[in-house]
Amino acid sequence: MQLAKKVIDKQTSALALPISKPESRLYMSFLSVAFISLFIGGLMGLLQVFVRTGKFTLPFGIDYYQVLTVHGVILGLVLTTYFIIGFHFSLMGKTVGISDKQRKIAWIAFWIMVIGTILTATMILLGEASVLYTFYAPLRAHPVFYIGLALVVVGSWIAGFVNWHQLAVWKKAHPGEKSPLLAFMVTINTILWFIASLGVAVAVLIQFIPWSLGFAETINVLVSRTLFWYFGHPLVYFWLLPAYMAWYAIIPKIIGGKLFSDSLARMSFVLFLFFSIPVGFHHQLTEPGIDPTWKFIQVVLTFMVVIPSLMTAFSMFATFEITGRRKGAKGLFGWLKKLPWKDVRFLAPFIGMVAFIPGGAGGIINASHQMNAVVHNTIWVTGHFHLTVATTVMLTFFGISYWLIPHLRGRKLTPKINRLGIIQAIVWAVGMFIMSGAMHIQGLLGGPRRSSYSEYAGGDQVTEWIGYQMAQAIGGTILFVGILLMVYIFIKLTFFAPKGEEEFPIAEEEENAEATPAYFENWKLWIGITVVLILAAYTIPFIDIIQHSPAGSVPFDFPIGR
Ligand code: HAS
């Protein structure tokens, strides 16, 4: 047991534990699957933007929607989940420790997830599951696709249970102490994930698997979509919160500052737990069969979930300004000059923060019912999530990788890799600006999402889109260069960077910071409020949906005749 060996880490001078070799192996295994996924998913993305120019057809009879399914599943579900769980474990290992038994159970979680991923991926590659990452009914995939997904979710739950146990053991050993901030944040994110993924687990186990096996003739489409979006929106915060963990608790250390407010950081995470789940209807605003009053209520709750992001923006500006002024910055914006622009551990996440300003504004547009009618199902939405998850979240994950991987591997981030990382972040930003910008504009011109190249039998409106599709191919190609660079950097940091010690940067609180109120440790209260909000937002409309649903749908298999 490492728990007894709590030490003051020399580099961070924060309360931190050393990470043992067996632990590193576990955390690196999760991160490695994430980077392999980045390469495969990115390659699929490149093929997609080429097909959508109308100048390129996929070889060997490969289907566009098969490629699109690989892209969405492997980047949206596999890369994110593995990276996040690896990062969660590293944070827990560093702040509260992990016992040998907990580590063994974490390995079981890893292998269950890997088996699930292989099953799902095999079905997609065999062309038996071209149903995209949202696997909307009545499109039917092979039962093994759903079973694989269920295993990934079960594995991720086991990982979350280990994290909860890690914190519980620590709390027992430290009665009356507040939990370390990063462990608190990981716990919130795993609770959020568990409650949210119950929705998709119910849909998969009760609806999709029996239906795909032929035990049920029809499926209730509206129920399946409602359960999916009950999961699908908190899913995006499950991606975002690890980035916020780095923004709140790690970036301040990298820039030579301190954590702005421990209580504010905890409060914003608690608000995410409350408001990220009871809002799924904002993905279904154009869906018939849901009472508009309930859509309105969930839109109001959606605007509540914007508040913790605004608190985060405020906190980051405060951290930057206070740190800059301490370093002698003058004038209104002089602190900007004091930020470590040449440190990729800061620059990559910072570009992610900047991208979240238009990305978040786009989200607010999506959530506004009338404006949603303009953008829903257009490629605007694809532009929105490439700014949020593929830029804000991914660039922060890259920023984390520059110190986490060498720390785990006992290596150094050299000035050369740092420089290459800066180039990578800029290439990514340029590629994404072009691709996502073109997607937003084409979406406003009515260009549909989730669709291969089509001239739609001619028409003036369609010709307007072509230029933007070309721009997406240019942006997508630049992005693919960014992916190649990142995969190269990952390999270099893992196997070839010089041996040494790299800091695990954890920021300390301001010396005169107000004490964090004890009620933050009241998990029953936070989970209780979350459950009440979910029940309030979903019970009546769900009963309504079940009672008044039209007849279920028979399956549609794609490609037809499969
Ligand atoms: Fe979203 C669709 C609404 C955030 C991801 N979203 C999607 C889909 C994905 C996704 C994947 O209401 C497509 C799903 C599908 O396949 O159909 N989204 C929102 C809202 C927010 C939001 C209100 N989305 C995200 C995040 C995502 C993500 C985060 C991934 C990580 N989204 C929607 C809606 C739809 C939707 C509808 C459905 C559309 C449809 O019709 O289908 C909010 O959480 C956004 C709040 C964010 C802010 C920004 C705060 C800014 C910060 C940066 C500060 C910068 C600093 C640096 C400090 C208010 C924190 C600056 C320094 C300088 C010097 C400048």
Side-chain angles (χ1 to χ4, degrees), residues 133-134 229 233 236-237 239-240 244 247 282-283 302 305-306 309-310 312-313 316-317 320 335-336 350 353-354 356-357 360-361 363-364 366-367 372 376-377 381 384-385 388-389 393 449-450:
Y133 89 105
T134 40
W229 287 118
H233 196 72
V236 313
Y237 296 110
W239 299 334
L240 182 70
Y244 277 9
W247 295 7
H282 72 221
H283 290 263
T302 304
V305 81
V306 171
S309 276
L310 295 176
T312 307
M316 295 319 297
F317 274 111
F320 295 155
W335 48 271
L336 270 172
F350 182 84
M353 290 177 203
V354 175
F356 203 34
I357 298 173
I364 293 170
N366 297 343
N372 184 272
H376 182 67
N377 269 344
V381 176
H384 161 70
F385 67 70
T388 48
V389 64
V393 171
R449 67 179 285 209
R450 301 190 182 104

Short mmCIF file of all heavy atoms in Angstrom, two decimals, residues 133-134 229 233 236-237 239-240 244 247 282-283 302 305-306 309-310 312-313 316-317 320 335-336 350 353-354 356-357 360-361 363-364 366-367 372 376-377 381 384-385 388-389 393 449-450, ligand 1:
data_model
loop_
_atom_site.label_atom_id
_atom_site.label_comp_id
_atom_site.label_asym_id
_atom_site.label_seq_id
_atom_site.Cartn_x
_atom_site.Cartn_y
_atom_site.Cartn_z
N TYR A 133 -22.06 7.12 -34.73
CA TYR A 133 -21.77 6.95 -33.29
C TYR A 133 -23.02 7.11 -32.43
O TYR A 133 -23.04 6.71 -31.28
CB TYR A 133 -20.63 7.89 -32.85
CG TYR A 133 -21.06 9.27 -32.38
CD1 TYR A 133 -21.06 9.59 -31.03
CD2 TYR A 133 -21.46 10.25 -33.29
CE1 TYR A 133 -21.45 10.85 -30.60
CE2 TYR A 133 -21.84 11.51 -32.87
CZ TYR A 133 -21.83 11.81 -31.52
OH TYR A 133 -22.22 13.05 -31.11
N THR A 134 -24.07 7.69 -33.00
CA THR A 134 -25.32 7.87 -32.23
C THR A 134 -26.23 6.64 -32.35
O THR A 134 -27.25 6.57 -31.68
CB THR A 134 -26.08 9.10 -32.77
OG1 THR A 134 -25.97 9.12 -34.19
CG2 THR A 134 -25.50 10.39 -32.22
N TRP A 229 -30.02 10.60 -25.66
CA TRP A 229 -29.64 11.99 -25.37
C TRP A 229 -29.61 12.29 -23.88
O TRP A 229 -28.95 13.24 -23.45
CB TRP A 229 -30.50 12.99 -26.15
CG TRP A 229 -30.06 12.95 -27.59
CD1 TRP A 229 -30.81 12.58 -28.67
CD2 TRP A 229 -28.74 13.22 -28.10
NE1 TRP A 229 -30.05 12.62 -29.81
CE2 TRP A 229 -28.77 13.01 -29.49
CE3 TRP A 229 -27.54 13.62 -27.52
CZ2 TRP A 229 -27.65 13.19 -30.30
CZ3 TRP A 229 -26.43 13.79 -28.32
CH2 TRP A 229 -26.49 13.58 -29.70
N HIS A 233 -25.81 14.22 -23.85
CA HIS A 233 -25.33 15.56 -23.49
C HIS A 233 -24.34 15.53 -22.33
O HIS A 233 -23.26 16.12 -22.43
CB HIS A 233 -26.44 16.57 -23.28
CG HIS A 233 -25.85 17.95 -23.30
ND1 HIS A 233 -25.40 18.55 -24.45
CD2 HIS A 233 -25.52 18.79 -22.30
CE1 HIS A 233 -24.84 19.70 -24.17
NE2 HIS A 233 -24.89 19.88 -22.87
N VAL A 236 -20.81 15.00 -23.27
CA VAL A 236 -19.89 16.07 -23.72
C VAL A 236 -19.21 16.74 -22.52
O VAL A 236 -18.09 17.23 -22.63
CB VAL A 236 -20.55 17.11 -24.67
CG1 VAL A 236 -21.35 16.45 -25.75
CG2 VAL A 236 -21.33 18.18 -23.94
N TYR A 237 -19.88 16.72 -21.36
CA TYR A 237 -19.23 17.29 -20.16
C TYR A 237 -18.26 16.29 -19.54
O TYR A 237 -17.30 16.68 -18.89
CB TYR A 237 -20.27 17.80 -19.16
CG TYR A 237 -21.04 18.95 -19.79
CD1 TYR A 237 -22.37 18.81 -20.15
CD2 TYR A 237 -20.39 20.13 -20.09
CE1 TYR A 237 -23.04 19.84 -20.79
CE2 TYR A 237 -21.05 21.16 -20.75
CZ TYR A 237 -22.37 21.01 -21.09
OH TYR A 237 -23.02 22.02 -21.74
N TRP A 239 -16.36 14.69 -21.35
CA TRP A 239 -15.15 15.03 -22.12
C TRP A 239 -14.54 16.34 -21.61
O TRP A 239 -13.33 16.48 -21.55
CB TRP A 239 -15.48 15.23 -23.61
CG TRP A 239 -16.05 14.06 -24.33
CD1 TRP A 239 -15.88 12.74 -24.02
CD2 TRP A 239 -16.89 14.09 -25.49
NE1 TRP A 239 -16.56 11.96 -24.93
CE2 TRP A 239 -17.18 12.76 -25.83
CE3 TRP A 239 -17.41 15.12 -26.29
CZ2 TRP A 239 -17.98 12.42 -26.93
CZ3 TRP A 239 -18.20 14.79 -27.37
CH2 TRP A 239 -18.49 13.45 -27.69
N LEU A 240 -15.42 17.30 -21.34
CA LEU A 240 -14.93 18.65 -21.02
C LEU A 240 -14.29 18.74 -19.63
O LEU A 240 -13.29 19.44 -19.44
CB LEU A 240 -16.10 19.65 -21.11
CG LEU A 240 -15.77 21.12 -20.85
CD1 LEU A 240 -14.94 21.71 -21.98
CD2 LEU A 240 -17.05 21.97 -20.68
N TYR A 244 -11.17 20.86 -17.90
CA TYR A 244 -11.31 21.88 -16.85
C TYR A 244 -10.45 21.54 -15.63
O TYR A 244 -9.98 22.43 -14.93
CB TYR A 244 -12.78 22.00 -16.42
CG TYR A 244 -13.63 22.90 -17.32
CD1 TYR A 244 -13.14 23.38 -18.53
CD2 TYR A 244 -14.91 23.26 -16.94
CE1 TYR A 244 -13.91 24.19 -19.34
CE2 TYR A 244 -15.70 24.08 -17.75
CZ TYR A 244 -15.20 24.54 -18.95
OH TYR A 244 -15.97 25.34 -19.75
N TRP A 247 -7.28 22.98 -16.50
CA TRP A 247 -7.32 24.45 -16.49
C TRP A 247 -7.27 25.00 -15.06
O TRP A 247 -6.53 25.92 -14.77
CB TRP A 247 -8.58 24.98 -17.18
CG TRP A 247 -8.66 24.67 -18.65
CD1 TRP A 247 -7.83 23.88 -19.39
CD2 TRP A 247 -9.66 25.15 -19.55
NE1 TRP A 247 -8.27 23.83 -20.69
CE2 TRP A 247 -9.37 24.60 -20.83
CE3 TRP A 247 -10.77 25.98 -19.43
CZ2 TRP A 247 -10.16 24.87 -21.94
CZ3 TRP A 247 -11.56 26.24 -20.54
CH2 TRP A 247 -11.26 25.70 -21.79
N HIS A 282 -32.53 19.23 -25.54
CA HIS A 282 -32.06 20.27 -26.48
C HIS A 282 -31.43 19.65 -27.73
O HIS A 282 -31.14 20.36 -28.68
CB HIS A 282 -31.17 21.33 -25.79
CG HIS A 282 -29.80 20.87 -25.41
ND1 HIS A 282 -29.21 21.20 -24.22
CD2 HIS A 282 -28.89 20.11 -26.07
CE1 HIS A 282 -28.01 20.66 -24.17
NE2 HIS A 282 -27.79 19.99 -25.28
N HIS A 283 -31.23 18.33 -27.70
CA HIS A 283 -30.80 17.64 -28.93
C HIS A 283 -32.02 17.15 -29.71
O HIS A 283 -31.89 16.61 -30.79
CB HIS A 283 -29.91 16.44 -28.61
CG HIS A 283 -28.57 16.85 -28.08
ND1 HIS A 283 -27.45 16.93 -28.87
CD2 HIS A 283 -28.17 17.23 -26.85
CE1 HIS A 283 -26.41 17.32 -28.15
NE2 HIS A 283 -26.83 17.51 -26.91
N THR A 302 -30.55 24.01 -19.70
CA THR A 302 -29.34 24.08 -20.54
C THR A 302 -28.63 25.41 -20.29
O THR A 302 -27.39 25.46 -20.22
CB THR A 302 -29.70 23.96 -22.04
OG1 THR A 302 -30.43 22.76 -22.24
CG2 THR A 302 -28.47 23.97 -22.92
N VAL A 305 -26.50 25.25 -17.36
CA VAL A 305 -25.21 24.54 -17.45
C VAL A 305 -24.14 25.42 -18.11
O VAL A 305 -22.95 25.08 -18.09
CB VAL A 305 -25.37 23.15 -18.13
CG1 VAL A 305 -25.40 23.23 -19.63
CG2 VAL A 305 -24.26 22.20 -17.70
N VAL A 306 -24.56 26.55 -18.68
CA VAL A 306 -23.57 27.48 -19.23
C VAL A 306 -22.83 28.19 -18.08
O VAL A 306 -21.65 28.55 -18.20
CB VAL A 306 -24.28 28.50 -20.15
CG1 VAL A 306 -23.35 29.63 -20.57
CG2 VAL A 306 -24.86 27.80 -21.39
N SER A 309 -19.40 27.11 -16.92
CA SER A 309 -18.36 27.41 -17.91
C SER A 309 -17.97 28.89 -17.83
O SER A 309 -16.80 29.25 -17.97
CB SER A 309 -18.83 27.09 -19.34
OG SER A 309 -18.63 25.72 -19.59
N LEU A 310 -18.98 29.74 -17.58
CA LEU A 310 -18.66 31.17 -17.44
C LEU A 310 -17.82 31.39 -16.17
O LEU A 310 -16.90 32.21 -16.15
CB LEU A 310 -19.94 32.01 -17.41
CG LEU A 310 -20.74 31.98 -18.73
CD1 LEU A 310 -22.05 32.75 -18.60
CD2 LEU A 310 -19.92 32.56 -19.90
N THR A 312 -15.74 29.28 -15.03
CA THR A 312 -14.40 28.79 -15.38
C THR A 312 -13.65 29.86 -16.17
O THR A 312 -12.46 30.13 -15.91
CB THR A 312 -14.51 27.49 -16.21
OG1 THR A 312 -15.32 26.57 -15.48
CG2 THR A 312 -13.15 26.87 -16.46
N ALA A 313 -14.35 30.50 -17.12
CA ALA A 313 -13.71 31.56 -17.91
C ALA A 313 -13.23 32.67 -16.97
O ALA A 313 -12.08 33.12 -17.04
CB ALA A 313 -14.69 32.12 -18.93
N MET A 316 -10.18 31.58 -15.03
CA MET A 316 -8.95 31.52 -15.82
C MET A 316 -8.39 32.92 -16.06
O MET A 316 -7.19 33.16 -15.92
CB MET A 316 -9.19 30.82 -17.17
CG MET A 316 -9.56 29.36 -17.08
SD MET A 316 -8.64 28.42 -15.88
CE MET A 316 -6.98 28.54 -16.51
N PHE A 317 -9.30 33.86 -16.41
CA PHE A 317 -8.83 35.24 -16.61
C PHE A 317 -8.19 35.76 -15.32
O PHE A 317 -7.15 36.41 -15.34
CB PHE A 317 -10.00 36.16 -17.02
CG PHE A 317 -10.25 36.15 -18.50
CD1 PHE A 317 -11.39 35.58 -19.05
CD2 PHE A 317 -9.32 36.73 -19.37
CE1 PHE A 317 -11.61 35.56 -20.42
CE2 PHE A 317 -9.53 36.72 -20.74
CZ PHE A 317 -10.68 36.13 -21.27
N PHE A 320 -4.75 34.24 -14.84
CA PHE A 320 -3.76 34.83 -15.76
C PHE A 320 -3.36 36.24 -15.30
O PHE A 320 -2.20 36.60 -15.27
CB PHE A 320 -4.31 34.89 -17.19
CG PHE A 320 -4.56 33.53 -17.82
CD1 PHE A 320 -5.49 33.37 -18.84
CD2 PHE A 320 -3.87 32.41 -17.37
CE1 PHE A 320 -5.73 32.12 -19.41
CE2 PHE A 320 -4.10 31.16 -17.93
CZ PHE A 320 -5.03 31.02 -18.95
N TRP A 335 -0.56 41.80 -18.55
CA TRP A 335 -0.37 40.43 -18.03
C TRP A 335 -0.29 39.39 -19.13
O TRP A 335 0.32 38.34 -18.95
CB TRP A 335 -1.49 40.08 -17.03
CG TRP A 335 -2.87 40.39 -17.54
CD1 TRP A 335 -3.54 41.57 -17.38
CD2 TRP A 335 -3.73 39.53 -18.28
NE1 TRP A 335 -4.77 41.51 -17.98
CE2 TRP A 335 -4.92 40.26 -18.55
CE3 TRP A 335 -3.64 38.23 -18.76
CZ2 TRP A 335 -5.99 39.73 -19.26
CZ3 TRP A 335 -4.70 37.69 -19.47
CH2 TRP A 335 -5.86 38.44 -19.71
N LEU A 336 -0.90 39.73 -20.29
CA LEU A 336 -0.86 38.77 -21.41
C LEU A 336 0.58 38.47 -21.81
O LEU A 336 0.92 37.34 -22.16
CB LEU A 336 -1.61 39.37 -22.60
CG LEU A 336 -3.11 39.06 -22.70
CD1 LEU A 336 -3.74 39.88 -23.80
CD2 LEU A 336 -3.34 37.58 -22.93
N PHE A 350 -4.20 26.68 -24.00
CA PHE A 350 -4.67 28.06 -24.14
C PHE A 350 -5.42 28.25 -25.46
O PHE A 350 -6.47 28.88 -25.51
CB PHE A 350 -3.49 29.05 -24.06
CG PHE A 350 -3.95 30.49 -24.13
CD1 PHE A 350 -4.39 31.17 -23.01
CD2 PHE A 350 -3.99 31.15 -25.35
CE1 PHE A 350 -4.85 32.47 -23.09
CE2 PHE A 350 -4.45 32.45 -25.45
CZ PHE A 350 -4.88 33.12 -24.31
N MET A 353 -8.74 27.03 -25.00
CA MET A 353 -9.62 27.97 -24.27
C MET A 353 -10.19 29.01 -25.22
O MET A 353 -11.38 29.33 -25.20
CB MET A 353 -8.83 28.71 -23.17
CG MET A 353 -8.41 27.85 -22.03
SD MET A 353 -7.42 28.84 -20.86
CE MET A 353 -6.53 27.51 -20.05
N VAL A 354 -9.30 29.56 -26.07
CA VAL A 354 -9.75 30.60 -27.00
C VAL A 354 -10.82 30.02 -27.94
O VAL A 354 -11.85 30.65 -28.20
CB VAL A 354 -8.55 31.18 -27.80
CG1 VAL A 354 -9.03 32.16 -28.86
CG2 VAL A 354 -7.57 31.86 -26.85
N PHE A 356 -12.87 27.85 -27.29
CA PHE A 356 -14.14 27.60 -26.59
C PHE A 356 -15.02 28.85 -26.52
O PHE A 356 -16.20 28.75 -26.22
CB PHE A 356 -13.88 27.05 -25.18
CG PHE A 356 -15.06 26.28 -24.62
CD1 PHE A 356 -15.88 25.52 -25.44
CD2 PHE A 356 -15.35 26.30 -23.27
CE1 PHE A 356 -16.96 24.81 -24.94
CE2 PHE A 356 -16.43 25.59 -22.75
CZ PHE A 356 -17.23 24.84 -23.59
N ILE A 357 -14.45 30.00 -26.83
CA ILE A 357 -15.30 31.21 -26.83
C ILE A 357 -16.31 31.11 -27.98
O ILE A 357 -17.51 31.10 -27.74
CB ILE A 357 -14.44 32.49 -26.84
CG1 ILE A 357 -13.60 32.52 -25.54
CG2 ILE A 357 -15.31 33.73 -26.98
CD1 ILE A 357 -12.58 33.64 -25.47
N GLY A 360 -18.44 27.74 -27.44
CA GLY A 360 -19.51 27.86 -26.43
C GLY A 360 -20.64 28.74 -26.93
O GLY A 360 -21.82 28.44 -26.72
N ALA A 361 -20.28 29.82 -27.65
CA ALA A 361 -21.32 30.70 -28.19
C ALA A 361 -22.19 29.92 -29.18
O ALA A 361 -23.43 30.07 -29.20
CB ALA A 361 -20.68 31.90 -28.88
N GLY A 363 -22.81 26.78 -29.01
CA GLY A 363 -23.67 25.92 -28.19
C GLY A 363 -24.90 26.68 -27.72
O GLY A 363 -26.01 26.14 -27.71
N ILE A 364 -24.70 27.94 -27.35
CA ILE A 364 -25.84 28.74 -26.86
C ILE A 364 -26.82 28.98 -28.02
O ILE A 364 -28.04 28.96 -27.83
CB ILE A 364 -25.32 30.06 -26.24
CG1 ILE A 364 -24.53 29.71 -24.96
CG2 ILE A 364 -26.46 31.01 -25.93
CD1 ILE A 364 -23.77 30.85 -24.35
N ASN A 366 -27.24 26.87 -30.54
CA ASN A 366 -27.92 25.57 -30.73
C ASN A 366 -29.06 25.38 -29.72
O ASN A 366 -30.09 24.79 -30.04
CB ASN A 366 -26.95 24.40 -30.50
CG ASN A 366 -25.82 24.37 -31.49
OD1 ASN A 366 -25.88 25.01 -32.52
ND2 ASN A 366 -24.77 23.64 -31.16
N ALA A 367 -28.80 25.85 -28.50
CA ALA A 367 -29.77 25.59 -27.43
C ALA A 367 -30.99 26.49 -27.51
O ALA A 367 -31.98 26.27 -26.81
CB ALA A 367 -29.08 25.77 -26.08
N ASN A 372 -32.21 26.89 -33.19
CA ASN A 372 -31.93 25.48 -33.43
C ASN A 372 -32.64 25.00 -34.69
O ASN A 372 -32.13 24.14 -35.43
CB ASN A 372 -32.36 24.65 -32.21
CG ASN A 372 -32.01 23.19 -32.37
OD1 ASN A 372 -32.79 22.42 -32.91
ND2 ASN A 372 -30.82 22.82 -31.95
N HIS A 376 -30.24 22.86 -36.88
CA HIS A 376 -30.33 21.43 -36.55
C HIS A 376 -30.14 20.57 -37.80
O HIS A 376 -30.66 20.88 -38.87
CB HIS A 376 -31.69 21.13 -35.92
CG HIS A 376 -31.84 19.68 -35.52
ND1 HIS A 376 -31.09 19.13 -34.51
CD2 HIS A 376 -32.62 18.69 -36.01
CE1 HIS A 376 -31.41 17.84 -34.39
NE2 HIS A 376 -32.33 17.55 -35.29
N ASN A 377 -29.40 19.50 -37.62
CA ASN A 377 -29.12 18.56 -38.72
C ASN A 377 -28.37 19.18 -39.88
O ASN A 377 -28.28 18.58 -40.96
CB ASN A 377 -30.40 17.88 -39.23
CG ASN A 377 -30.63 16.58 -38.46
OD1 ASN A 377 -29.72 16.08 -37.80
ND2 ASN A 377 -31.83 16.04 -38.56
N VAL A 381 -23.65 22.00 -36.91
CA VAL A 381 -23.50 21.26 -35.65
C VAL A 381 -22.16 20.52 -35.65
O VAL A 381 -21.46 20.48 -34.63
CB VAL A 381 -24.70 20.30 -35.43
CG1 VAL A 381 -24.49 19.46 -34.18
CG2 VAL A 381 -26.00 21.08 -35.36
N HIS A 384 -19.66 22.94 -34.78
CA HIS A 384 -19.70 23.23 -33.32
C HIS A 384 -18.91 22.19 -32.55
O HIS A 384 -18.07 22.53 -31.72
CB HIS A 384 -21.17 23.25 -32.87
CG HIS A 384 -21.37 23.08 -31.39
ND1 HIS A 384 -21.01 24.05 -30.48
CD2 HIS A 384 -21.89 22.05 -30.66
CE1 HIS A 384 -21.29 23.63 -29.25
NE2 HIS A 384 -21.82 22.42 -29.33
N PHE A 385 -19.12 20.90 -32.86
CA PHE A 385 -18.44 19.94 -31.99
C PHE A 385 -16.97 19.74 -32.38
O PHE A 385 -16.19 19.22 -31.59
CB PHE A 385 -19.22 18.65 -31.77
CG PHE A 385 -19.44 17.74 -32.94
CD1 PHE A 385 -18.40 17.02 -33.49
CD2 PHE A 385 -20.72 17.53 -33.44
CE1 PHE A 385 -18.62 16.13 -34.53
CE2 PHE A 385 -20.95 16.65 -34.48
CZ PHE A 385 -19.89 15.95 -35.03
N THR A 388 -15.51 22.39 -30.08
CA THR A 388 -15.57 22.10 -28.64
C THR A 388 -14.73 20.85 -28.31
O THR A 388 -13.68 20.97 -27.70
CB THR A 388 -17.03 21.90 -28.19
OG1 THR A 388 -17.68 21.01 -29.10
CG2 THR A 388 -17.78 23.21 -28.14
N VAL A 389 -15.21 19.70 -28.78
CA VAL A 389 -14.47 18.50 -28.37
C VAL A 389 -13.15 18.36 -29.12
O VAL A 389 -12.11 18.03 -28.52
CB VAL A 389 -15.34 17.22 -28.44
CG1 VAL A 389 -15.78 16.89 -29.84
CG2 VAL A 389 -14.60 16.04 -27.86
N VAL A 393 -11.17 20.48 -26.08
CA VAL A 393 -10.84 19.31 -25.28
C VAL A 393 -9.55 18.66 -25.78
O VAL A 393 -8.63 18.39 -25.00
CB VAL A 393 -12.02 18.30 -25.29
CG1 VAL A 393 -11.63 16.99 -24.65
CG2 VAL A 393 -13.23 18.91 -24.58
N ARG A 449 -25.70 17.62 -42.40
CA ARG A 449 -24.64 16.85 -41.76
C ARG A 449 -24.90 15.37 -41.99
O ARG A 449 -25.93 15.00 -42.55
CB ARG A 449 -24.56 17.16 -40.27
CG ARG A 449 -25.75 16.72 -39.47
CD ARG A 449 -25.62 17.01 -37.98
NE ARG A 449 -24.70 16.11 -37.32
CZ ARG A 449 -24.79 15.74 -36.04
NH1 ARG A 449 -25.77 16.23 -35.28
NH2 ARG A 449 -23.93 14.94 -35.49
N ARG A 450 -24.02 14.52 -41.52
CA ARG A 450 -24.13 13.06 -41.61
C ARG A 450 -24.44 12.61 -43.04
O ARG A 450 -25.25 11.72 -43.25
CB ARG A 450 -25.28 12.54 -40.73
CG ARG A 450 -25.19 12.84 -39.26
CD ARG A 450 -26.27 12.04 -38.54
NE ARG A 450 -26.31 12.29 -37.12
CZ ARG A 450 -27.23 13.04 -36.53
NH1 ARG A 450 -28.17 13.64 -37.23
NH2 ARG A 450 -27.20 13.21 -35.23
FE1 HAS B 1 -22.74 21.17 -27.73
C1 HAS B 1 -24.59 19.53 -30.14
C2 HAS B 1 -25.47 23.03 -26.88
C3 HAS B 1 -20.94 22.70 -25.19
C4 HAS B 1 -20.28 18.80 -28.05
N1 HAS B 1 -22.47 19.50 -28.90
C5 HAS B 1 -23.35 19.00 -29.83
C6 HAS B 1 -22.80 17.80 -30.41
C7 HAS B 1 -21.60 17.57 -29.78
C8 HAS B 1 -21.40 18.66 -28.84
C9 HAS B 1 -20.66 16.40 -30.01
O1 HAS B 1 -28.48 22.98 -27.38
C10 HAS B 1 -23.42 16.99 -31.54
C11 HAS B 1 -24.18 15.78 -31.06
C12 HAS B 1 -24.75 15.04 -32.23
O2 HAS B 1 -24.03 14.22 -32.82
O3 HAS B 1 -25.88 15.33 -32.61
N2 HAS B 1 -23.13 22.63 -26.34
C13 HAS B 1 -24.30 23.26 -26.17
C14 HAS B 1 -24.18 24.24 -25.10
C15 HAS B 1 -22.90 24.15 -24.63
C16 HAS B 1 -22.25 23.12 -25.40
C17 HAS B 1 -25.24 25.16 -24.59
N3 HAS B 1 -20.96 20.83 -26.82
C18 HAS B 1 -20.41 21.57 -25.79
C19 HAS B 1 -19.15 20.99 -25.40
C20 HAS B 1 -18.97 19.88 -26.20
C21 HAS B 1 -20.11 19.80 -27.09
C22 HAS B 1 -18.27 21.51 -24.30
C23 HAS B 1 -17.86 18.89 -26.25
C24 HAS B 1 -16.85 18.88 -25.45
N4 HAS B 1 -24.64 21.28 -28.41
C25 HAS B 1 -25.62 22.08 -27.89
C26 HAS B 1 -26.89 21.79 -28.57
C27 HAS B 1 -26.64 20.80 -29.49
C28 HAS B 1 -25.23 20.50 -29.37
C29 HAS B 1 -28.19 22.41 -28.33
C30 HAS B 1 -27.66 20.11 -30.44
C31 HAS B 1 -27.66 20.75 -31.77
C32 HAS B 1 -28.60 20.02 -32.70
O4 HAS B 1 -29.59 20.63 -33.08
O5 HAS B 1 -28.35 18.87 -33.06
C33 HAS B 1 -22.33 24.95 -23.47
O6 HAS B 1 -21.80 24.09 -22.50
C34 HAS B 1 -21.29 25.94 -23.90
C35 HAS B 1 -20.89 26.88 -22.77
C36 HAS B 1 -19.56 27.48 -23.02
C37 HAS B 1 -19.24 28.77 -22.90
C38 HAS B 1 -17.84 29.21 -23.23
C39 HAS B 1 -17.03 29.62 -22.02
C40 HAS B 1 -15.63 29.93 -22.45
C41 HAS B 1 -14.52 29.51 -21.82
C42 HAS B 1 -13.18 29.85 -22.41
C43 HAS B 1 -12.55 31.00 -21.71
C44 HAS B 1 -11.31 31.43 -22.41
C45 HAS B 1 -10.17 31.86 -21.80
C46 HAS B 1 -8.97 32.22 -22.60
C47 HAS B 1 -10.06 31.97 -20.33
C48 HAS B 1 -20.21 29.78 -22.47
C49 HAS B 1 -14.57 28.73 -20.55
C50 HAS B 1 -9.20 33.51 -23.25
C51 HAS B 1 -8.03 34.40 -23.24
C52 HAS B 1 -7.88 35.41 -24.10
C53 HAS B 1 -6.72 36.31 -23.95
C54 HAS B 1 -8.86 35.64 -25.21
#
